[in-house]
Amino acid sequence: MINTGSVMDFQTEMITEGNVKVLVPKLKAFVKSPSEYAPSKAPVFYNPVMELNRDFAVLAVQAFQRMVQREISICEPLSGCGIRGIRFANEVKGTKSVLMGDINRRAVKLANYNVRINGLDQRVTVRNEDANRLLANYAAPRARFDVVDIDPFGSPVLYLDSAVRALRHDSLLALTATDMAPLCGVHPKACLRKYGGKPLRTEYCHELAARLLAGCLAATAAKHDLGIDVIFSYSANHYVRVYATVKYGAKKADESIKNVGYILHCFNCLHRETAKELLFHEQSGKCKECNSNLSIAGPLWIGRIFDRQFCGLMEEVAKERKFELAGKIEKTLALIKNEAEAPITYYVTDKLCHKLNLAAPSVTKLIEDLRSSGFQACATHFTPKGIRTDASTMKIKKLLQEIADY
Ligand SMILES: C[S@@+](CC[C@H](N)C(=O)[O-])C[C@H]1O[C@@H](n2cnc3c(N)ncnc32)[C@H](O)[C@@H]1O
Ligand SMILES: [Zn+2]
């Protein structure tokens, strides 16, 4: 029996997540009303709702380790109570070392305690340091990490430069962004300021959020002659997560920058298209389906945001063990694998039907009808009402009208 009574000077409790037991702040003790966001009221950050985020992180890092087939070093410079880094060390086979850090002294004390009770002192270190300073210490060749996981409050952009500098050739970077208001176009100025791209308040804004973050990462990496490839991304519970591999070389950087462009959206008819550059569109600026003015999102990542093979590898890893959230993990991975090679941006049936003044059919029905008309069509993990298809907006609307008339 572990005596946790006097470890910290605030109320704590022992929880189990994945294969580890960790001491965390007793969240109930820090909220005065149910509307308060408990994780940020506690003296050390811990959010139980992010279990899925950490499960996917464990899966993605294990899948990456299998892909590269070498022992890996991991850095998690914003570690809170240490649960994520401890899970990496305990659950990802082939993990050589984990370096965690946090600017909050009490977080470091708690994380150190959690490292000890999990018997990981030999492979896990925790530093009380600013994330950028910590990463900067590992920017030299041979000191760099195989994996860096940036999981901050709000935006990860403040840490992008130091994160890419601390990554070796053929490495993995994982980013969480919780600042969905800027990324989804509620605060467009903040998005432009932070991510260097313009968002749009469209029905597929969560995909745009992942693309704005990936675009910003590609631009940052390119400054250091690094190229990125986005191999997995998703959104859940008001955050977006992007996983990208990082490779060295000016040519790799040039290649990855080619995936940065624009998405043009028509708010009148919901048509959308991508553009590598804006020269032509600046002159016309008109929707080719209804001739209304097009709105522009970007610059952002217009390349793939999921790799089907990598999703398959994550599925394999997931099947080898039991997660508390196994059902959710399995369902999300299946959806992502299925949409991995589908066209960019999704339609939302309710939004289309609202324009047409029709009741929305089931997504399954619309997908079936699109497929039997010869189009590619599939669901998306981003929303249960979403479909990806290569059919034009006009064609989808025609089909919806036919379904309603039938
Ligand atoms: C969202 S929490 C991390 C949660 C953790 N990754 C997990 O999975 O449970 C963000 C953490 O970053 C820490 N932090 C904030 N600014 C920092 C900085 N500049 N350098 C290092 N840590 C920082 C906070 O103290 C907090 O513990
Ligand atoms: Zn239009």
Side-chain angles (χ1 to χ4, degrees):
M1 179 79 177
I2 302 159
N3 178 12
T4 61
S6 57
V7 178
M8 302 300 296
D9 56 359
F10 54 86
Q11 284 196 57
T12 54
E13 63 183 335
M14 193 62 87
I15 60 112
T16 304
E17 189 184 285
N19 294 343
V20 305
K21 271 195 166 40
V22 285
L23 192 67
V24 299
K26 192 170 189 159
L27 296 180
K28 273 194 207 132
F30 303 100
V31 285
K32 290 187 183 68
S33 78
S35 62
E36 281 182 340
Y37 177 58
S40 54
K41 296 281 166 194
V44 171
F45 188 92
Y46 161 66
N47 189 355
V49 174
M50 291 302 245
E51 177 169 353
L52 184 73
N53 182 312
R54 291 184 284 267
D55 285 347
F56 274 132
V58 165
L59 287 173
V61 175
Q62 184 69 79
F64 172 75
Q65 190 277 333
R66 282 200 191 162
M67 220 166 72
V68 294
Q69 297 200 345
R70 58 172 191 258
E71 286 211 303
I72 54 170
S73 57
I74 305 172
C75 182
E76 205 230 331
L78 302 121
S79 59
C81 67
I83 186 166
R84 181 181 298 257
I86 289 170
R87 288 194 60 187
F88 287 146
N90 182 293
E91 297 174 32
V92 178
K93 292 189 193 93
T95 302
K96 187 168 53 189
S97 62
V98 176
L99 175 64
M100 296 196 281
D102 204 287
I103 205 155
N104 175 354
R105 225 171 11 87
R106 289 155 113 190
V108 173
K109 186 176 176 198
L110 184 55
N112 264 320
Y113 175 80
N114 286 326
V115 169
R116 272 199 311 281
I117 61 166
N118 282 282
L120 295 167
D121 321 45
Q122 298 297 312
R123 288 190 295 131
V124 183
T125 313
V126 194
R127 299 257 170 79
N128 185 198
E129 203 152 9
D130 167 76
N132 282 322
R133 280 182 76 112
L134 182 72
L135 288 162
N137 288 333
Y138 293 84
R142 279 179 286 283
R144 298 176 186 136
F145 300 101
D146 296 280
V147 177
V148 171
D149 189 329
I150 304 286
D151 181 52
F153 300 133
S155 172
V157 292
L158 298 177
Y159 310 105
L160 286 188
D161 263 301
S162 14
V164 296
R165 290 184 63 225
L167 280 164
R168 58 169 278 182
H169 173 66
D170 208 3
S171 54
L172 179 72
L173 177 60
L175 303 170
T176 309
T178 63
D179 54 336
M180 295 309 271
L183 283 167
C184 282
V186 181
H187 303 307
K189 278 190 202 153
C191 187
L192 195 55
R193 203 164 64 228
K194 288 191 182 297
Y195 294 88
K198 193 172 155 294
L200 280 182
R201 282 186 85 167
T202 60
E203 56 278 26
Y204 53 91
C205 66
H206 289 96
E207 179 177 338
L208 288 182
R211 294 184 177 283
L212 282 157
L213 174 55
C216 178
L217 170 61
T220 306
K223 285 188 284 181
H224 301 280
D225 282 350
L226 301 171
I228 67 148
D229 193 3
V230 183
I231 55 171
F232 188 64
S233 53
Y234 70 96
S235 87
N237 301 329
H238 310 295
Y239 70 86
V240 64
R241 182 92 164 148
V242 167
Y243 289 83
T245 50
V246 174
K247 290 198 166 68
Y248 275 64
K251 272 200 184 132
K252 296 272 182 216
D254 291 343
E255 280 303 309
S256 97
I257 281 297
K258 282 187 195 154
N259 288 303
V260 177
Y262 301 86
I263 292 176
L264 311 169
H265 180 85
C266 174
F267 278 100
N268 182 47
C269 77
L270 306 181
H271 163 76
R272 61 290 292 266
E273 58 192 87
T274 55
K276 293 226 163 182
E277 43 196 64
L278 285 176
L279 301 172
F280 166 74
H281 295 281
E282 268 170 356
Q283 285 157 19
S284 89
K286 298 287 183 199
C287 171
K288 62 182 174 208
E289 294 210 358
C290 76
N291 211 35
S292 300
N293 287 334
L294 285 168
S295 298
I296 299 166
L300 43 67
W301 184 262
I302 53 171
R304 67 172 185 185
I305 51 170
F306 327 99
D307 178 299
R308 199 176 151 77
Q309 256 183 315
F310 188 75
C311 294
L313 207 47
M314 284 176 72
E315 275 184 334
E316 251 175 64
V317 180
K319 281 194 190 117
E320 290 165 13
R321 53 171 288 195
K322 187 118 192 69
F323 285 96
E324 194 69 27
L325 303 174
K328 176 91 184 143
I329 291 171
E330 198 184 314
K331 196 174 158 210
T332 311
L333 277 178
L335 279 165
I336 294 179
K337 196 170 140 197
N338 198 34
E339 68 181 306
E341 282 158 14
I344 191 166
T345 79
Y346 51 88
Y347 292 87
V348 172
T349 47
D350 286 1
K351 183 86 184 176
L352 285 161
C353 289
H354 181 74
K355 287 267 177 203
L356 297 168
N357 238 332
L358 297 173
S362 76
V363 166
T364 321
K365 169 77 181 142
L366 184 57
I367 289 176
E368 272 168 16
D369 285 16
L370 279 163
R371 283 185 185 160
S372 48
S373 307
F375 296 104
Q376 199 185 340
C378 68
T380 170
H381 84 283
F382 279 111
T383 162
K385 297 275 176 79
I387 52 156
R388 291 188 188 274
T389 177
D390 55 355
S392 68
T393 313
M394 224 182 299
K395 182 69 207 174
I396 310 169
K397 286 182 179 165
K398 200 162 159 266
L399 269 177
L400 284 168
Q401 191 67 60
E402 282 168 19
I403 293 170
D405 292 345
Y406 185 68

